[in-house]
Amino acid sequence: MLENTLYLLLAYLVGSAPFGYLAGKLNGIDLREHGSKNIGATNTIRVLGKKWGIPVFICDVLKGLLPVFLMKQHLGVELTGCTTAEMGWLIGTLVAAVLGHTFTCFLKFKGGKGIATALGALIAFSPFIAGVALAVWLACMVCTRYVSLSSIMAAVGVEVAILWQCLSDGAANAADAVAIGFISVLVVLVIVKHRSNVTRLLNGTEPKAFSKKK
């Protein structure tokens, strides 16, 4: 129990690493004062360019992927066949990593929107769910060129995918219920973190693709 709890704390701390903020500081700026004022990879690309934004994206993905992967190795489980307790620890690690990014303790609990970190965590948790999310994101990006809208739709895709995966055999057990519950909370969090983007989308002022915000 204690060891698993320490894994959760470590997942949060790893997720809290503000790579976008650090990239900005290396360039003499605070990303929280430029572009969308977000420390995530999208704003890093918008403000600093792909040279800095792509490494930040990779690091943000990894800080979600590694904690969940290591917890799976520690527990010695796969997604199918988990007990309720094992699922709780596994999904808890996923949520802790994403919460670290969105509420980083290194920046007064203000962070990014969690998309890249959630993607990494989902890759380790369930490649199927991660694949659905990525496919939805890419399809929406091709059609609209709005990163924020694509991210919101990908979050919805995650909800659909977890329901499909857990209910495809006709019945959900207690472990499935834990997974669905926590993933649903995470999906809501991601959408809420995009509320300013939703306002700009409705007003027609949301920038497309990776255009620079003036």
Side-chain angles (χ1 to χ4, degrees), residues 151-175:
S151 299
I152 292 170
M153 294 308 297
V156 174
V158 167
E159 182 68 18
V160 173
I162 186 67
L163 288 171
W164 173 271
Q165 182 161 307
C166 292
L167 301 176
S168 59
D169 60 358
N173 56 32

Side-chain angles (χ1 to χ4, degrees), residues 119-159:
L119 174 62
L122 286 171
I123 290 172
F125 179 73
S126 169
F128 167 73
I129 297 175
V132 170
L134 184 57
V136 171
W137 190 93
L138 289 172
C140 193
M141 269 295 291
V142 169
C143 294
T144 69
R145 291 178 52 223
Y146 285 119
V147 176
S148 57
L149 180 59
S150 301
S151 299
I152 292 170
M153 294 308 297
V156 174
V158 167
E159 182 68 18

Side-chain angles (χ1 to χ4, degrees), residues 87 166 172-182:
M87 180 62 78
C166 292
N173 56 32
D176 292 333
V178 169
I180 292 170
F182 275 94

Side-chain angles (χ1 to χ4, degrees), residues 2-24:
L2 177 59
E3 190 172 2
N4 289 349
T5 303
L6 291 175
Y7 264 84
L8 292 186
L9 177 60
L10 180 61
Y12 172 78
L13 292 175
V14 170
S16 291
F19 291 110
Y21 173 81
L22 294 174

Side-chain angles (χ1 to χ4, degrees), residues 7 10-11 15 21 32 50 65 80 93 97 104 106 115 146 152 154-155 160 169 174-175 183 188 195 205 207 213:
Y7 264 84
L10 180 61
Y21 173 81
R32 297 173 297 177
K50 294 179 181 179
L65 188 153
T80 56
T93 303
T104 171
F106 301 117
I115 297 300
Y146 285 119
I152 292 170
V160 173
D169 60 358
I183 290 292
V188 171
R195 60 190 181 278
T205 57
K213 185 176 180 180

Side-chain angles (χ1 to χ4, degrees), residues 14-183:
V14 170
S16 291
F19 291 110
Y21 173 81
L22 294 174
K25 284 300 182 180
L26 288 173
N27 285 273
I29 66 171
D30 188 338
L31 275 183
R32 297 173 297 177
E33 299 173 356
H34 296 269
S36 64
K37 299 178 173 58
N38 188 270
I39 64 167
T42 300
N43 196 43
T44 305
I45 291 174
R46 184 175 296 144
V47 176
L48 301 177
K50 294 179 181 179
K51 175 183 176 181
W52 290 94
I54 291 176
V56 166
F57 173 77
I58 293 172
C59 288
D60 282 351
V61 169
L62 288 175
K63 70 184 188 181
L65 188 153
L66 291 176
V68 178
F69 173 79
L70 291 175
M71 177 59 92
K72 287 179 80 172
Q73 298 303 305
H74 168 66
L75 295 174
V77 299
E78 292 298 332
L79 191 57
T80 56
C82 277
T83 66
T84 304
E86 289 169 340
M87 180 62 78
W89 289 115
L90 189 58
I91 202 78
T93 303
L94 184 155
V95 172
V98 177
L99 288 179
H101 181 78
T102 54
F103 303 104
T104 171
C105 59
F106 301 117
L107 297 175
K108 298 180 180 180
F109 299 98
K110 295 181 180 180
K113 296 177 180 177
I115 297 300
T117 303
L119 174 62
L122 286 171
I123 290 172
F125 179 73
S126 169
F128 167 73
I129 297 175
V132 170
L134 184 57
V136 171
W137 190 93
L138 289 172
C140 193
M141 269 295 291
V142 169
C143 294
T144 69
R145 291 178 52 223
Y146 285 119
V147 176
S148 57
L149 180 59
S150 301
S151 299
I152 292 170
M153 294 308 297
V156 174
V158 167
E159 182 68 18
V160 173
I162 186 67
L163 288 171
W164 173 271
Q165 182 161 307
C166 292
L167 301 176
S168 59
D169 60 358
N173 56 32
D176 292 333
V178 169
I180 292 170
F182 275 94
I183 290 292

